[in-house]
Structure formats: C-alpha cells, structure tokens
C-alpha cells in the first residue's frame, strides 16, 4: 500500500510570505501529526488532526495552523514567515498496531526562508 | 511534559562492530518507537516497542517500561547503518498521537 506523501519536497520562500504544505496519509489512517525539525531544537510536535479535528497542539505560535479534510489529507500553513521557520517539516500518518498507535513518516518538506 | 534523553549523542564504529543505543524517558508511555533518519531526512521505522523485546535481522530492541528505558542493539554494523537514530515516546495519559523525540544518536560506521 502507498506510504505517506508530502508535497512539495523543497520550498524557498521570502520572509513575510506564507506557505502551505500538504500531507496525504496511508489509506485508512484517520490521524495525521506534524513535526518540525531544526538543528537547534530537534524534532518538535506541531499538531495532530483526527477526523478533521485538531486533537493535540504543540507549543508553537499562532502563525502555525493546520487542517484536515474529509479524505484525511492534511495541510499545514505558516503565515508571516520568519528566518527561524526554516526547517524540515515532517508529517506522520498514525495507524493502529495492536492496542496502540504507530506513526509512519513521509519524506518531509524542506522549507528555506530567505 | 515527558522528557526523553538518548545516549550517546555521537558514536563512531568500525564496520563489523556492535553497539548499544539507549533511550531514557521520564514518565509512563503508551508508545515507544525507534527510527533511523536517512540522509534525505525521512524517518524510517525500526521498531514499535512500548515494552518487551523484538528483533529484526541485525537489529534488536528492548524496552523496560517499569524502569523507563529502551535499548537499541546494532550487531555487525555496516556503513549503511550510518545516520541518526531517534527514540520517540507517546505519553500514557495522552489520548492522541503526539510523540516526544529524544535528541538522537548520530552513528558513523567506518569501512
């Protein structure tokens, strides 16, 4: 079965612009999580969506937002980009393994803000 | 929130050597996964192991949930094992799917 698909793979934006990233989860998975990876802060949780509802949110400013569609595809948006938003953004598709849930990651979107 | 610490932060091995990577966590968990991050940034699933022991080829993992640690063993290492290994946990009382990652162990295997 198809894996987790993130688009685009690479993106260069200018400070002050906004950006939208997309994630298509594994077929049948209803939960999608987003993570930011930077050299200084490591891998940090952004938010999770389950059945079109935000279920968990990390400690990020309101410029970071997301949504999930009825087909479980998710988008995240970053408005008013700052240089510090340059990072690898990873999407996880969460599915049941036994009683609990296992995360499967996409290839990521590498965002550079100039 | 839960704290996750991985050790060592860096590891250099000669091809064929064995290694043990450790992950300590500060609270009860309902999920623990080990990942290998490839050079292109993708996190590759190695083990889903909230408790017990699993083996997959040259890799094996053990989680002792009551003592809040997990170990990843790599035997007969190969140059293709190089990269960063992450441990990630889900908090026991969190109803959703939020993983907290450790800082990673950067492994370099020399030929």
């Amino acid at each position: 079965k198809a894996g987790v698909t993130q688009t685009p793979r690479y993106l260069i934006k200018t400070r002050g612009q906004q950006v939208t990233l997309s994630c298509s989860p594994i077929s049948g998975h209803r939960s999608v999580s987003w993570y930011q990876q930077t050299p200084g802060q490591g891998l940090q949780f952004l938010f999770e969506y389950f059945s079109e509802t935000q279920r968990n949110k990390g400690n990020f400013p309101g410029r970071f937002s997301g949504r999930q569609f009825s087909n479980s595809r998710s988008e995240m948006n970053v408005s008013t980009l700052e240089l510090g938003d340059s990072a690898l953004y990873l999407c996880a598709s969460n599915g049941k393994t036994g009683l609990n849930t296992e995360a499967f990651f996409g290839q990521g979107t590498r965002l550079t803000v100039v | 929130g839960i704290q996750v610490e991985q050790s060592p932060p860096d590891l250099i091995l000669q091809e064929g050597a064995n290694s043990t990577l450790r992950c300590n966590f500060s609270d009860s968990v309902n999920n623990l996964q080990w990942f290998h991050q490839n050079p292109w940034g993708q996190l590759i699933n190695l083990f889903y192991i909230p408790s017990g022991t699993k083996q997959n080829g040259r890799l094996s993992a053990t989680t002792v949930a009551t003592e809040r640690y997990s170990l990843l063993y790599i035997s007969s290492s190969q140059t293709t094992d190089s990269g960063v290994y992450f441990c990630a946990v889900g908090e026991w009382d969190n109803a959703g799917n939020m993983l907290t990652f450790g800082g990673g162990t950067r492994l370099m295997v020399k030929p």
Side-chain angles (χ1 to χ4, degrees):
Chain A
K1 68 186 177 184
V4 184
T5 303
Q6 289 190 245
T7 56
R9 292 289 310 281
Y10 303 92
L11 208 47
I12 300 175
K13 289 285 189 178
T14 304
R15 269 182 303 175
Q17 288 186 313
Q18 73 160 7
V19 67
T20 299
L21 312 182
S22 178
C23 173
S24 293
I26 293 169
S27 177
H29 288 188
R30 294 161 61 191
S31 167
V32 173
S33 303
W34 289 89
Y35 295 82
Q36 181 197 63
Q37 185 177 24
T38 60
Q41 300 298 317
L43 275 152
Q44 294 185 290
F45 172 79
L46 279 158
F47 29 66
E48 180 210 356
Y49 286 86
F50 178 80
S51 292
E52 302 180 62
T53 301
Q54 188 179 88
R55 186 157 65 174
N56 282 292
K57 189 177 191 308
N59 189 24
F60 278 83
R63 300 185 298 107
F64 291 81
S65 63
R67 60 178 175 169
Q68 186 179 34
F69 302 94
S70 59
N71 62 357
S72 295
R73 187 178 71 87
S74 178
E75 290 181 347
M76 67 163 282
N77 183 277
V78 188
S79 62
T80 319
L81 284 165
E82 301 177 0
L83 295 178
D85 298 332
S86 294
L88 178 65
Y89 290 89
L90 291 162
C91 164
S93 175
N94 304 302
K96 280 294 185 185
T97 297
L99 295 177
N100 295 315
T101 304
E102 185 173 359
F104 300 88
F105 283 83
Q107 292 179 296
T109 295
R110 194 169 295 277
L111 171 65
T112 302
V113 182
V114 297
Chain B
I2 195 167
Q3 306 296 314
V4 183
E5 292 186 2
Q6 290 185 242
S7 59
D10 296 281
L11 190 56
I12 301 174
L13 298 174
Q14 208 64 38
E15 198 168 27
N18 302 329
S19 61
T20 301
L21 283 58
R22 187 176 180 102
C23 171
N24 291 333
F25 44 95
S26 61
D27 209 339
S28 299
V29 299
N30 60 14
N31 183 3
L32 190 145
Q33 292 185 242
W34 283 97
F35 298 95
H36 178 210
Q37 189 164 40
N38 68 21
W40 298 272
Q42 186 171 10
L43 291 171
I44 307 300
N45 289 46
L46 296 177
F47 293 102
Y48 168 77
I49 188 166
S51 64
T53 298
K54 289 185 178 179
Q55 180 153 10
N56 184 5
R58 296 182 297 103
L59 273 58
S60 63
T62 295
T63 297
V64 183
T66 52
E67 297 187 22
R68 299 181 183 168
Y69 74 89
S70 183
L71 302 174
L72 177 68
Y73 305 97
I74 304 174
S75 65
S76 304
S77 58
Q78 301 175 358
T79 55
T80 52
D81 295 331
S82 297
V84 185
Y85 290 80
F86 287 102
C87 163
V89 304
E91 293 185 57
W92 182 259
D93 59 356
N94 185 284
N97 301 304
M98 182 180 84
L99 291 176
T100 300
F101 282 79
T105 292
R106 186 174 299 274
L107 173 65
M108 180 185 296
V109 181
K110 294 186 171 182

